[in-house]
Amino acid sequence: MQGRHFTPWKRALPHRQLQTLNVGRSDRSVVLAPNFGRAKRAAEENFPKRRESTEPTARARPSSLRIQSTLGLLFRPCAVSAPATAPGLNAHARWAHKTAAQLPLIPKPTPFVPDVPTFLTLIGRDLKQHADKFPTWEALFTLTTDQLRELGVEPPRARRYLLRWRQRFREGKFGIGGDLKHVENGVAYLKIHEKEASPTRTSRKVVNVPANQTVEEVSEGERVKVKGYKVKGVSTIVGPYALPVKKGVSKLAVTEGMWEDKRGHKVDGGERRRAEVRFKRGVAERKALREKMGFY
């Protein structure tokens, strides 16, 4: 009899009649082994082979030529040349990476961050104690991790934190006040610039101007819009570390930890030991309560 689902040799011979053999008194039927030679011939008739090419077969290359070609690919000089502006940065970057070559190795100081002590003071975590270990601004941005360890910048997480903020500064990702332009002795003044947006509405924004000049006296190109600060009401400047001086004027001074990434603090032993610490505390409290009630 013919099954509903055909095996491959059944597909090759769809009209093949299966022979059965009754064994004894059992009703079971035994399928005889198919003739695979006949199935193969039928499959070749139904699915002919691809026409072979009449062109002469190309001669195989000697193995020595293959080795030479492989070595040529390996030792071929690279066509990409690293720019001379950032040799140290490109030494550890991928050749195919395009953005790595665009970042300056040593960024220029900004008016708000003119030197090494100011930079270490802003990023916090008590790194200003290592300010005397960096003689120049170039040394701060060129020393490696091993060199920082030899200089005594410990623990390792402090070195990682310094390297991370160093890369941020290199990419132009500053903290509060990093975009200020008019700074004198670490102090910048913020003032309110009013402009009529419509006959019924006046827009107010916080700008950075020199301390001895008003907003109207400064040209529009010299007014620096300050990020992170806004005007509340009519004459109040609201923002982190903004100290009011008078109506509509505030000042921003370099403070320890202004750019610091705050670390979390452990509560009841931290995440891994919190359940254990709280369980032992509960045991001690219940024991003290039973002693107070006179059960011991």
Side-chain angles (χ1 to χ4, degrees):
M1 62 182 181
Q2 215 171 4
R4 189 170 184 180
H5 301 284
F6 297 99
T7 55
W9 65 273
K10 291 180 182 180
R11 291 193 185 97
L13 302 175
H15 300 291
R16 176 182 175 83
Q17 299 294 330
L18 300 180
Q19 301 178 7
T20 59
L21 179 64
N22 295 329
V23 182
R25 297 180 180 179
S26 176
D27 296 334
R28 297 178 181 178
S29 60
V30 179
V31 180
L32 298 180
N35 188 347
F36 286 101
R38 185 176 177 184
K40 182 179 179 182
R41 289 193 298 271
E44 290 177 353
E45 294 176 359
N46 295 332
F47 304 98
K49 293 184 178 179
R50 187 179 297 177
R51 183 178 300 175
E52 298 182 356
S53 176
T54 57
E55 298 180 359
T57 307
R59 295 180 61 186
R61 282 189 171 185
S63 58
S64 60
L65 294 179
R66 295 179 183 176
I67 296 175
Q68 291 177 4
S69 61
T70 306
L71 293 177
L73 290 175
L74 290 176
F75 296 101
R76 184 175 59 185
C78 183
V80 181
S81 59
T85 56
L89 183 64
N90 287 277
H92 302 281
R94 286 187 252 177
W95 286 95
H97 206 286
K98 297 180 180 179
T99 58
Q102 300 174 1
L103 297 177
L105 181 63
I106 302 175
K108 295 181 180 180
T110 62
F112 198 69
V113 191
D115 49 21
V116 176
T118 305
F119 178 78
L120 298 180
T121 301
L122 289 172
I123 64 177
R125 296 198 184 179
D126 204 21
L127 285 174
K128 65 178 181 180
Q129 62 177 336
H130 304 292
D132 56 344
K133 299 175 182 177
F134 304 97
T136 60
W137 180 265
E138 290 74 14
L140 174 64
F141 284 89
T142 54
L143 292 176
T144 62
T145 306
D146 296 335
Q147 292 171 342
L148 292 176
R149 183 175 65 249
E150 293 175 359
L151 290 175
V153 181
E154 296 290 346
R157 65 183 178 188
R159 292 196 298 271
R160 292 194 297 267
Y161 179 71
L162 175 59
L163 294 176
R164 185 165 66 248
W165 257 112
R166 195 173 72 175
Q167 182 63 21
R168 286 187 193 175
F169 194 89
R170 183 181 287 120
E171 296 175 358
K173 300 176 181 179
F174 309 125
I176 289 294
D179 53 347
L180 300 179
K181 183 177 179 181
H182 306 285
V183 183
E184 295 180 3
N185 299 325
V187 179
Y189 284 86
L190 311 178
K191 299 181 181 180
I192 299 176
H193 177 233
E194 296 184 352
K195 182 179 179 181
E196 283 192 15
S198 64
T200 58
R201 186 172 65 90
T202 303
S203 65
R204 298 178 178 88
K205 62 181 180 180
V206 181
V207 295
N208 171 230
V209 297
N212 54 359
Q213 296 182 14
T214 61
V215 178
E216 291 75 13
E217 294 175 355
V218 181
S219 62
E220 186 176 357
E222 293 294 323
R223 299 171 191 159
V224 180
K225 185 179 179 180
V226 185
K227 298 179 181 179
Y229 295 87
K230 62 181 180 179
V231 181
K232 184 177 181 181
V234 178
S235 59
T236 304
I237 298 176
V238 180
Y241 300 96
L243 302 176
V245 177
K246 58 182 181 180
K247 184 178 180 180
V249 181
S250 296
K251 71 176 182 179
L252 182 67
V254 174
T255 311
E256 169 72 20
M258 285 182 66
W259 296 0
E260 181 178 355
D261 296 335
K262 302 296 182 180
R263 289 196 301 260
H265 60 281
K266 294 184 178 181
V267 178
D268 294 338
E271 296 181 357
R272 289 179 292 180
R273 298 183 59 244
R274 184 175 300 166
E276 178 184 357
V277 171
R278 293 181 179 179
F279 173 76
K280 291 182 179 179
R281 182 192 301 164
V283 171
E285 291 176 354
R286 290 191 294 270
K287 184 177 180 181
L289 180 61
R290 288 194 294 267
E291 289 178 354
K292 184 178 180 181
M293 295 176 65
F295 289 104
Y296 292 117

